[in-house]
Amino acid sequence: MAIATINPATGETLKVFKPLEDGEIAAKVELAQQSFQEYRQTSFEERSQWLLQAVNILEQEKADFAKIMTLEMGKTLKSAIAEVEKCALVCRYYAENAASFLADVTVKTDASHSFIKYQPLGVILAVMPWNFPFWQVFRFAAPALMAGNVGLLKHASNVPQCALAIEDIFHRAGFPKGVFQTLLIGATKVADLMADDRIKAATLTGSEPAGASLAVASGKQIKKTVLELGGSDPFIVLESADLELAVATAVTARMINNGQSCIAAKRFIVADQIADEFEKMLLAKFQTLKIGDPLADDTDIGPLATPDILQDLENQVKIAVENGAKVLTGGNALKDQPGNFYPPTIIIDIPVENPIAKEEFFGPVALLFRVRDINEAIKLANDIPFGLGASAWTNNEAEKNRLIQEIEAGAVFINGMVKSDPRLPFGGIKRSGYGRELSIQGIHEFVNIKTVWMR
């Protein structure tokens, strides 16, 4: 893929970037390594001041950053502004909490004094996706930089201006030169970077194949990785649920980011007793959503990020129908206009053996399943390779406890939409990846947890 800004709403190429040459990449890696030697000696107070200055820049210039996101990957402008605000939130969270998260912890043993010490690892490579081009980076960078690490960002090739803007934010915030750098490179360069002894660990948010590739490259070098990969999150609605609230939330949970979110609700698993009403209400709300220019205030759904994503979604819906499923609404790309637009779509009557039943749909397509009871709901929810998040709706306490205990996922939200929050750890199990971001667990991923024993 070329490194370029291509407006997904029009197909127009706005700007093309030349990938870094090997010598330029090597120089940036060396600068990162040299910067780490000094940066690791800075205090939490200094790092916190710089990160809080990044907060100020994000808050003051959020409209400008949001427009870059919208033009590069198509999210609505209002959601892009909210993303920038969330980046400021995570920066403030770690600026205020990193010192306590990484403070020495005394442990009583047979020593005169023994304790746990947290120290930075060094240069960390971040391979990040296009769907939340600011948030995914800042949720890595804020804890990593506060821990004393330095970062190299290999961003998705279709959001280069976002990548350069983020580097500029950290530079203007006062972080020393080389502490955070963007590498405008293709995916083929990642394995070579992981073979470089100066790079100590890596994190990736993206597809299963991309995660597997990084894991292989890192494994050969015995280097730490954190992976946040795909998801096909269940949204379970049982008989006692507040149906009106569940349906309203279901629409938001499926259509977030034009349907292109790993933690978007994708499989709607509804009890038979309320399934007819749920389907009727969901259909009505889907049909009111406005598709159009993502820069317009009244647009609900913008374009998909690339033509390839649009084509993949079309193929999945076609396969679903060919194998016995039915399209309740939508189901065909909007070919009468430029851009990568796909309408809100609901697929019903999906046979269990349908090949798409266990796939992730990255776009505004909802899969609707009916189940007899909670036993069948939990079984269907877990019968999938992914395990990122899950939303479940019930007002029965016994059912709540079972759902929390038995659903296989990194997060379970009861009567609410799955979301990331700086205060809570975020990540998945099974083929959704491993490791955690955010909260105290996130900042501990890229530090040396050192045992100290003294007599």
Side-chain angles (χ1 to χ4, degrees):
M1 181 185 289
I3 299 177
T5 299
I6 302 174
N7 187 341
T10 64
E12 179 186 4
T13 298
L14 303 178
K15 196 168 185 178
V16 178
F17 295 81
K18 182 182 177 182
L20 295 176
E21 302 286 347
D22 288 346
E24 295 172 310
I25 298 171
K28 286 182 175 290
V29 174
E30 179 59 24
L31 175 59
Q33 173 64 11
Q34 293 301 320
S35 298
F36 174 64
Q37 301 309 319
E38 295 185 10
Y39 183 67
R40 69 187 302 177
Q41 305 300 331
T42 59
S43 66
F44 284 114
E45 290 75 17
E46 290 175 296
R47 299 172 202 163
S48 177
Q49 289 175 4
W50 294 325
L51 199 56
L52 289 174
Q53 183 55 35
V55 171
N56 292 336
I57 295 171
L58 287 164
E59 291 178 340
Q60 292 168 9
E61 302 175 30
K62 61 185 178 182
D64 295 332
F65 298 136
K67 188 173 182 180
I68 295 172
M69 279 191 271
T70 298
L71 290 174
E72 288 205 307
M73 59 71 55
K75 67 171 71 235
T76 61
L77 186 62
K78 55 190 174 186
S79 67
I81 290 172
E83 182 171 333
V84 180
E85 292 171 341
K86 193 170 183 178
C87 293
L89 183 67
V90 76
C91 287
R92 187 178 300 279
Y93 175 78
Y94 280 108
E96 294 175 349
N97 292 287
S100 61
F101 288 164
L102 299 176
D104 293 350
V105 178
T106 297
V107 180
K108 291 184 178 181
T109 67
D110 57 340
S112 302
H113 181 40
S114 53
F115 59 98
I116 302 166
K117 190 169 191 66
Y118 301 99
Q119 295 180 305
L121 295 180
V123 182
I124 313 297
L125 175 66
V127 182
M128 293 288 115
W130 48 264
N131 58 335
F132 292 93
F134 266 59
W135 169 245
Q136 308 278 17
V137 177
F138 274 94
R139 78 180 188 192
F140 150 74
L145 299 188
M146 281 303 301
N149 296 301
V150 303
L152 289 174
L153 170 64
K154 186 276 177 234
H155 217 324
S157 295
N158 59 327
V159 290
Q161 293 192 64
C162 288
L164 293 171
I166 293 168
E167 177 182 341
D168 184 60
I169 289 169
F170 285 117
H171 175 71
R172 287 194 284 146
F175 283 93
K177 183 179 180 181
V179 167
F180 188 93
Q181 300 177 80
T182 282
L183 306 178
L184 293 183
I185 58 175
T188 58
K189 298 293 184 181
V190 171
D192 291 339
L193 285 169
M194 291 312 301
D196 192 312
D197 288 340
R198 292 168 295 186
I199 293 179
K200 303 305 180 185
T203 181
L204 177 144
T205 299
S207 67
E208 283 183 78
S213 178
L214 181 69
V216 168
S218 303
K220 288 180 179 178
Q221 308 300 325
I222 323 292
K223 292 182 180 179
K224 173 73 177 290
T225 54
V226 169
L227 303 179
E228 192 264 281
L229 309 178
S232 188
D233 286 6
F235 189 102
I236 300 170
V237 186
L238 299 177
E239 188 177 5
S240 67
D242 180 334
L243 194 56
E244 186 172 337
L245 179 59
V247 171
T249 307
V251 177
T252 303
R254 176 61 280 209
M255 297 302 162
I256 186 172
N257 208 36
N258 306 335
Q260 303 164 118
S261 171
C262 293
I263 57 170
K266 299 185 176 102
R267 296 178 299 138
F268 296 85
I269 301 170
V270 186
D272 278 333
Q273 301 92 326
I274 56 171
D276 286 343
E277 187 64 18
F278 181 92
E279 180 182 301
K280 178 182 176 181
M281 295 169 68
L282 187 69
L283 174 62
K285 288 186 177 295
F286 267 39
Q287 291 177 333
T288 65
L289 296 172
K290 183 176 179 180
I291 309 165
D293 180 2
L295 291 172
D297 290 339
D298 61 345
T299 294
D300 297 307
I301 301 175
L304 300 179
T306 70
D308 287 346
I309 295 167
L310 178 63
Q311 185 62 58
D312 288 345
L313 199 64
E314 282 189 290
N315 289 341
Q316 284 180 299
V317 173
K318 180 181 178 182
I319 291 170
V321 173
E322 289 174 346
N323 286 273
K326 297 178 183 178
V327 173
L328 185 63
T329 187
N332 293 294
L334 305 183
K335 302 291 189 181
D336 59 344
Q337 61 187 76
N340 313 317
F341 290 94
Y342 198 89
T345 297
I346 300 174
I347 300 178
I348 62 173
D349 297 343
I350 305 165
V352 176
E353 65 276 10
N354 194 311
I356 60 89
K358 297 183 180 181
E359 291 184 3
E360 177 179 25
F361 280 66
F362 224 59
V365 177
L367 309 184
L368 182 56
F369 299 86
R370 296 173 180 237
V371 291
R372 289 189 298 270
D373 53 29
I374 187 173
N375 297 318
E376 193 172 310
I378 292 172
K379 180 180 179 181
L380 182 58
N382 290 340
D383 187 22
I384 197 162
F386 304 106
L388 193 52
S391 176
W393 295 75
T394 176
N395 285 308
N396 180 293
E397 291 303 317
E399 289 180 342
K400 290 178 184 178
N401 292 331
R402 281 199 62 191
L403 292 161
I404 292 167
Q405 185 68 26
E406 298 180 32
I407 288 180
E408 298 168 356
V412 176
F413 281 59
I414 303 296
N415 297 332
M417 188 178 86
V418 176
K419 61 183 179 180
S420 56
D421 184 317
R423 297 164 293 187
L424 294 170
F426 180 85
I429 59 173
K430 300 196 281 189
R431 297 189 73 85
S432 290
Y434 52 76
R436 291 294 180 267
E437 296 180 288
L438 304 177
S439 191
I440 186 171
Q441 287 78 14
I443 202 169
H444 284 172
E445 289 285 5
F446 294 121
V447 294
N448 174 19
I449 304 174
K450 181 183 285 185
T451 293
V452 180
W453 189 98
M454 300 172 64
R455 175 174 291 166

